[in-house]
Amino acid sequence: MAKVKVNGHFGEWIESLFGTSAGINLGPLLFIMYLHDIPQRIFPKFADDLVAIAVDSDLKKITSELQLCVDDLVNWSCKWGMVLNVSKTHV
């Protein structure tokens, strides 16, 4: 259960079926623990953001490495039931 507080006024209680309520300190900690076995090619960046980096002079090698990162991340997310927000993905 959760409710919102704005300027000292509280909203109604709402049922939260998944995850933690937004804005609590426990949320980021639980997410970090959830990422304990994320593929080694993927790096936590900030809070719930992840990053994959490939550096090479050969564009084909970079493309191949980044595709492996995506494949690993998709497999990991399927394993743990994590929904990826592809609308926030940038290249």
Side-chain angles (χ1 to χ4, degrees):
M1 297 293 287
K3 63 179 169 178
V4 176
K5 177 183 176 185
V6 177
N7 295 328
H9 299 281
F10 291 90
E12 298 296 321
W13 284 102
I14 58 172
E15 188 173 355
S16 178
L17 301 176
F18 301 101
T20 60
S21 299
I24 67 168
N25 294 335
L26 186 58
L29 178 60
L30 292 174
F31 186 78
I32 289 169
M33 292 170 59
Y34 195 66
L35 293 180
H36 77 282
D37 70 339
I38 196 148
Q40 291 184 344
R41 293 183 170 109
I42 311 293
F43 304 97
K45 183 178 177 188
F46 177 77
D48 62 349
D49 292 331
L50 302 171
V51 66
I53 300 171
V55 178
D56 201 296
S57 58
D58 183 349
L59 184 57
K60 288 185 180 184
K61 287 182 181 178
I62 292 172
T63 303
S64 176
E65 178 62 27
L66 290 176
Q67 185 60 56
L68 289 173
C69 292
V70 170
D71 294 344
D72 285 352
L73 186 60
V74 168
N75 290 333
W76 174 85
S77 68
C78 289
K79 175 182 175 184
W80 292 107
M82 175 74 74
V83 176
L84 300 177
N85 187 347
V86 295
S87 68
K88 291 175 54 177
T89 301
H90 301 281
V91 176

